[in-house]
Structures are given as structure tokens and as C-alpha cells.
Amino acid sequence: MNKTAALKFPRLATSSRKRALKRITLNLTSDEAQNLEKYCKQTGRPAIDVIRELIQALP
């Protein structure tokens, strides 16, 4: 990467900030999906945020 690009895009200059992402598929029963949708509507939060927060809370 040249100096100009590093100055314009400082986040691109450091690869240590990149987070490895892994896509997963989650199979839910109809009841589970409805409960998740209901909770998301009540809280105004997207399902991905709810699921990610629950995973991060795991020991």
C-alpha cells in the first residue's frame, strides 16, 4: 500500500484490526423463530444483534 492510500484510509493500513468472520446457518422451529421475531420487535433490535449478544455472554 502506498503512503497516500495509508493516509486517506488509516484503517486499511493496519490489518490487525480486521476481525475474522464466519457465517453460520441457524435452524429454528416455527415457535423459536416467532419468539425471536417477537423479542426483536419488542426491543427494536435486529436478530443478528440479539444472537451475537447471547453468544458473547457465553462462558
Side-chain angles (χ1 to χ4, degrees):
M1 181 178 297
N2 63 38
K3 275 186 166 181
T4 306
L7 293 175
K8 287 183 181 178
F9 306 103
R11 284 188 260 170
L12 295 178
T14 58
S15 61
S16 63
R17 288 187 178 185
K18 290 183 181 177
R19 292 179 9 176
L21 298 177
K22 183 172 183 173
R23 181 176 301 268
I24 64 167
T25 300
L26 181 64
N27 295 320
L28 300 174
T29 66
S30 296
D31 288 342
E32 291 168 338
Q34 288 175 355
N35 286 341
L36 179 58
E37 288 174 16
K38 182 179 175 183
Y39 181 81
C40 290
K41 285 181 183 177
Q42 289 174 347
T43 61
R45 298 171 56 210
I48 187 65
D49 291 348
V50 172
I51 294 167
R52 184 175 287 129
E53 185 177 296
L54 290 169
I55 291 170
Q56 290 172 350
L58 293 172

